[in-house]
Amino acid sequence: MVEIKDLSYKWKDGDKELLNIDYLHITRGERVFLKGSSGSGKSTLLNLLSGMIVPKNGTIKVLDQTINALKPSHRDVFRANHMGYIFQTFNLVPYLSVLDNVMLPIQFSNERLQRIKNTGIEPEEEAKRLLQVVGLEGSDLLNKSATELSVGQQQRVAACRALLGSPELIIADEPTSSLDEDAQEAFINLLLKECTRKQTTLLFVSHDIRFTKYFTKVIELKNGSIKELLTTNIGGQ
Amino acid sequence: MSVLIKLAFKSIRYRKATLILSLISVSLSVVLLLGVERLRSTIEESFTSSISGTDLIVGARSGNVPLLLSSIFHIGYPSQNVSWETYEYFSTRQDVKWSIPISIGDSHKGFSVVGTTEQFFEHYEYGGKLNLQVNRGEACVHGYECVLGAKAAKDLGYTVGDNMVVTHGMGHDEFVRHEDEPFKVAGILETTGTPVDQSIFVSIYTLDAIHSHFYSNSHDVFNDLDRMHNHAGHAHHHETQLQNPKALSSFLLGVKSKSSLLSLQRTINEYTNEPLTAIMPVITLLELWEIVKPIEQTLIIISILVLIIAMAGVFTTIMISLSDRIREISILRSAGAKSQHIFGLILLESFGIICLGIITGISLLYAGLYLFKPILTKQLGVLISIGWFSLNEIFLLMLLLLLGGIIGLIPAYKSYKNSMAVSLVVKK
């Protein structure tokens, strides 16, 4: 699913290397917990994986596609089709309703739209189903402006958006850090449940090691290098 | 594309509080620009068509512009008169179709009194070959009857059948009143938007008779006053003893065939019995308008400057808002929007605001025109046209759209660049 080889990255020539990863492999369907404090190169790694930036050296393969070899616009299309992204906070477009926010990815990705249609379900029904799974329902709420929601609700909407249209990889960048403890637990469980349902690979970034028990692989990023702390063989590819 | 339009629309709606100010400033400047242009073209049109259908204006030797000003616009006096014999000589020529004698120099409460004949109402044309129309009464200037222009009638409060007294000399100072010669209003003309509106038409024969009555041989103001007292009691009419006037200020000619126009003009200009000037009104009107042109251009330039300032305001608002939108842009990018999408979105929003401003401005302008048209016509005698856009206006609108496009391109390009470099990991 994800394969990184001989990767090194620095902002400018002559700068200190921010990231130096010899090898990282993530199997399809794996749930990966990435532990990394600020300054560990975590942001850089996520930007590289999502194709926002490209490395000078090394290769990054996602779904057997070497994304750093793609043209910028193709990387954008690839990201739209195959990746869901959840931010730490402020996930929603303020001027769109809850439902519109969830539906946003399929406005830009035909592939994700088609995937929903292939299941025989209308896109809007699928969006509503996901929202219902995370405990958000009722036309009042769905038509609310995104800014009227609580932080917890916003994060759940963001999760639905990332999941809609079943992208193969979901990157969640400290999605729980703005939630209180009970909500954190519930959020992770919902996310994992949907990911399992659709065989989605999850890259979950956090520094809260209490949650490592839910994941099949735990890796730590320290000074730009990856250290594997735990790998449970889940079979697969 | 339709996604972007939807997004842009919702984004504009979300930011309406700040954008409405931009919208107002754009629309008001559009009103100003198009309004000034509309007014300018209306005034130019009504000015340059103050007289049409008349081929030549003939007066005593003078400059072209002074002759036009005095005979048509009633501004200033001709320094010399033309003798009646000369008028008769030219008006009876083979190639002349019609002629209108004009005698000016008198006024009534600030409105100029024009001595002429009924030929005036028959042949005088303005605008696109429009004849003078009678609103009330009839266009009759026999004897002591007079015909009023629309504005003169309205301002003086006269109606058909009223009596009025003519004063010698222009302006309000009634230093010599022809008080024993009261005129009766026979008719009132329709509004034309030309100097005709502000004129009072009387018979040139009667006017001359009054003058010869007053200024016969040894003229003494005190005697005049005495005589005015003596005459006060009885009505005094000259109708029975009317003679041809000795002189007139100028005359208008219509030719039978346009091909003889230039030779006739030369003949008149070279007439040896009396020094004369013959002008073609259309040409001289344009000459006159050239004098006014710098003023109208200044007006247009000022309104364009106002518009540029308004556009600069919109530009600033959009540029400032961009820094607040980095977060939103990275959300859109994470949800699959390409950099090109971001470019399109910002361009659509900026351009959308400017277009909305233009549309609002045009609607405001037309609403204003409909609302103020009666007032403009009544108060200023300006017949503003509420038609489709003129070529000039379409050009200005194109210029506006182009400017709007350029103004939209800069923030769009900036956010495009930003969105390429935007990190999906934004700490906030």
Side-chain angles (χ1 to χ4, degrees):
Chain A
M1 175 72 203
V2 177
E3 190 181 60
I4 297 175
K5 267 187 195 160
D6 305 321
L7 176 77
S8 71
Y9 186 83
K10 45 188 161 185
W11 279 116
K12 274 183 294 188
D13 287 336
D15 275 12
K16 194 168 87 63
E17 269 187 355
L18 288 168
L19 214 55
N20 193 341
I21 299 171
D22 293 336
Y23 186 75
L24 174 69
H25 181 86
I26 298 172
T27 314
R28 172 137 208 195
E30 243 180 339
R31 309 157 174 185
V32 182
F33 186 96
L34 173 63
K35 183 171 172 279
S37 52
S38 52
S40 61
K42 188 186 66 186
S43 307
T44 313
L45 178 61
L46 296 187
N47 277 326
L48 283 166
L49 273 174
S50 57
M52 294 300 291
I53 52 175
V54 284
K56 279 262 159 58
N57 303 305
T59 54
I60 303 168
K61 275 188 180 176
V62 179
L63 286 167
D64 295 328
Q65 178 71 250
T66 311
I67 56 168
N68 54 319
L70 292 173
K71 285 200 293 185
S73 63
H74 289 165
R75 284 203 303 273
D76 287 338
V77 174
F78 188 82
R79 176 173 57 250
N81 288 339
H82 304 294
M83 293 183 204
Y85 210 102
I86 306 170
F87 294 104
Q88 187 175 352
T89 175
F90 300 112
N91 262 293
L92 306 182
V93 179
Y95 49 83
L96 295 181
S97 70
V98 170
L99 195 61
D100 283 343
N101 260 291
V102 175
M103 307 264 283
L104 202 55
I106 54 171
Q107 310 284 338
F108 296 112
S109 165
N110 258 328
E111 199 171 320
R112 278 166 82 170
L113 178 68
Q114 210 49 53
R115 260 179 241 152
I116 301 173
K117 283 187 172 164
N118 288 345
T119 61
I121 302 170
E122 280 302 305
E124 193 173 320
E125 292 310 310
E126 172 66 4
K128 283 179 179 164
R129 185 192 69 80
L130 284 167
L131 282 163
Q132 195 185 3
V133 168
V134 300
L136 299 170
E137 53 189 324
S139 59
D140 265 10
L141 191 109
L142 299 189
N143 292 318
K144 254 189 188 174
S145 157
T147 46
E148 292 173 63
L149 300 185
S150 72
V151 179
Q153 285 173 321
Q154 286 188 21
Q155 290 306 93
R156 282 183 275 164
V157 174
C160 292
R161 183 174 64 205
L163 287 163
L164 188 78
S166 315
E168 289 87 343
L169 175 65
I170 286 182
I171 298 172
D173 182 14
E174 298 192 38
T176 54
S177 61
S178 56
L179 304 178
D180 57 48
E181 253 175 63
D182 292 346
Q184 285 180 343
E185 201 86 28
F187 182 84
I188 292 174
N189 281 323
L190 285 170
L191 189 60
L192 289 171
K193 197 173 128 197
E194 274 302 311
C195 284
T196 309
R197 212 177 95 96
K198 291 186 174 154
Q199 272 287 296
T200 310
T201 311
L202 175 67
L203 179 60
F204 190 94
V205 181
S206 178
H207 42 248
D208 196 338
I209 50 165
R210 283 178 303 136
F211 302 126
T212 53
K213 58 181 183 233
Y214 297 116
F215 293 84
T216 56
K217 189 188 199 97
V218 179
I219 52 178
E220 189 182 9
L221 194 59
K222 216 171 188 180
N223 300 323
S225 306
I226 288 282
K227 202 165 98 186
E228 283 201 28
L229 299 178
L230 169 87
T231 306
T232 315
N233 197 342
I234 59 157
Q237 299 155 317
Chain B
M1 191 64 187
S2 68
V3 184
L4 292 184
I5 291 172
K6 250 190 283 179
L7 281 177
F9 175 71
K10 285 179 174 164
S11 169
I12 287 174
R13 209 175 50 183
Y14 179 71
R15 275 172 256 274
K16 58 178 177 280
T18 43
L19 290 182
I20 210 144
L21 293 175
S22 309
L23 194 114
I24 290 171
S25 71
V26 171
S27 58
L28 286 184
S29 57
V30 167
V31 169
L32 182 73
L33 181 66
L34 290 184
V36 164
E37 167 58 24
R38 183 66 59 104
L39 204 60
R40 185 203 65 78
S41 63
T42 304
I43 290 171
E44 178 178 359
E45 202 184 295
S46 101
F47 179 82
T48 49
S49 63
S50 305
I51 177 168
S52 66
T54 296
D55 295 312
L56 287 174
I57 301 173
V58 185
R61 179 71 45 87
S62 71
N64 295 354
V65 172
L67 177 58
L68 181 81
L69 282 177
S70 66
S71 57
I72 303 301
F73 293 94
H74 313 144
I75 298 169
Y77 305 99
S79 48
Q80 295 282 318
N81 279 343
V82 181
S83 70
W84 191 261
E85 290 74 40
T86 304
Y87 165 63
E88 286 202 314
Y89 171 75
F90 284 109
S91 60
T92 51
R93 270 175 67 108
Q94 279 295 310
D95 47 0
V96 171
K97 194 173 167 193
W98 54 261
S99 65
I100 302 171
I102 285 176
S103 170
I104 49 173
D106 288 273
S107 79
H108 176 72
K109 293 183 179 163
F111 290 95
S112 47
V113 172
V114 180
T116 185
T117 62
E118 251 127 59
Q119 297 273 67
F120 190 90
F121 306 107
E122 200 178 320
H123 297 297
Y124 190 89
E125 285 177 348
Y126 68 99
K129 304 255 167 209
L130 291 170
N131 275 308
L132 296 174
Q133 297 291 322
V134 182
N135 178 283
R136 270 165 294 160
E138 52 184 324
C140 173
V141 288
H142 279 305
Y144 281 83
E145 283 177 316
C146 68
V147 172
L148 303 185
K151 188 163 162 49
K154 187 185 161 283
D155 285 10
L156 297 173
Y158 286 131
T159 179
V160 176
D162 284 356
N163 284 323
M164 50 180 280
V165 171
V166 174
T167 328
H168 191 68
M170 293 281 188
H172 288 274
D173 305 320
E174 308 185 350
F175 56 95
V176 180
R177 291 162 66 99
H178 305 306
E179 210 146 86
D180 52 344
E181 322 286 357
F183 282 92
K184 193 162 153 249
V185 178
I188 292 165
L189 300 173
E190 287 280 10
T191 303
T192 62
T194 70
V196 168
D197 293 351
Q198 293 161 46
S199 307
I200 297 165
F201 299 94
V202 299
S203 159
I204 193 168
Y205 300 99
T206 314
L207 199 63
D208 183 73
I210 296 170
H211 287 161
S212 58
H213 174 129
F214 258 80
Y215 308 120
S216 52
N217 301 330
S218 60
H219 169 62
D220 185 316
V221 177
F222 295 101
N223 279 344
D224 284 347
L225 284 173
D226 269 351
R227 275 168 43 172
M228 273 162 63
H229 273 293
N230 297 337
H231 281 293
H234 59 97
H236 189 103
H237 284 271
H238 300 262
E239 246 169 314
T240 48
Q241 58 208 61
L242 280 184
Q243 299 165 349
N244 278 343
K246 284 195 191 66
L248 68 168
S249 309
S250 57
F251 54 94
L252 314 181
L253 290 180
V255 293
K256 279 184 183 139
S257 145
K258 298 283 173 200
S259 56
S260 63
L261 186 54
L262 281 169
S263 71
L264 178 63
Q265 186 186 22
R266 199 169 53 243
T267 311
I268 296 172
N269 281 331
E270 289 167 357
Y271 189 57
T272 44
N273 292 5
E274 196 173 347
L276 296 174
T277 298
I279 57 167
M280 288 188 236
V282 186
I283 291 168
T284 311
L285 276 168
L286 286 172
E287 261 174 49
L288 198 52
W289 189 252
E290 285 301 313
I291 301 169
V292 191
K293 216 154 198 177
I295 301 168
E296 61 158 3
Q297 277 166 348
T298 312
L299 268 177
I300 292 288
I301 287 168
I302 289 171
S303 5
I304 288 177
L305 286 178
V306 170
L307 188 98
I308 288 173
I309 291 165
M311 292 282 197
V314 176
F315 178 69
T316 316
T317 311
I318 293 169
M319 288 305 268
I320 289 171
S321 78
L322 280 191
S323 56
D324 298 333
R325 299 183 69 171
I326 289 175
R327 183 74 210 171
E328 178 201 324
I329 288 169
S330 67
I331 294 169
L332 288 170
R333 292 277 278 146
S334 80
K338 296 181 198 176
S339 293
Q340 289 93 311
H341 285 129
I342 305 298
F343 179 84
L345 177 68
I346 304 293
L347 181 65
L348 270 175
E349 276 185 37
S350 327
F351 197 58
I353 281 296
I354 288 163
C355 285
L356 269 177
I358 292 173
I359 293 167
T360 315
I362 291 170
S363 321
L364 280 176
L365 178 72
Y366 272 80
L369 284 179
Y370 272 107
L371 217 64
F372 292 111
K373 183 177 178 169
I375 299 170
L376 278 173
T377 310
K378 280 225 168 74
Q379 299 298 321
L380 300 172
V382 176
L383 276 170
I384 207 150
S385 63
I386 311 184
W388 184 236
F389 300 109
S390 70
L391 266 178
N392 266 346
E393 287 168 337
I394 288 171
F395 171 75
L396 283 175
L397 285 174
M398 289 297 164
L399 197 75
L400 284 182
L401 286 175
L402 189 74
L403 211 64
I406 293 169
I407 278 170
L409 275 177
I410 297 166
Y413 183 71
K414 187 164 182 273
S415 43
Y416 171 76
K417 275 302 195 194
N418 279 347
S419 78
M420 300 263 274
V422 78
S423 163
L424 285 186
V425 189
V426 181
K427 297 278 185 252
K428 203 168 186 179

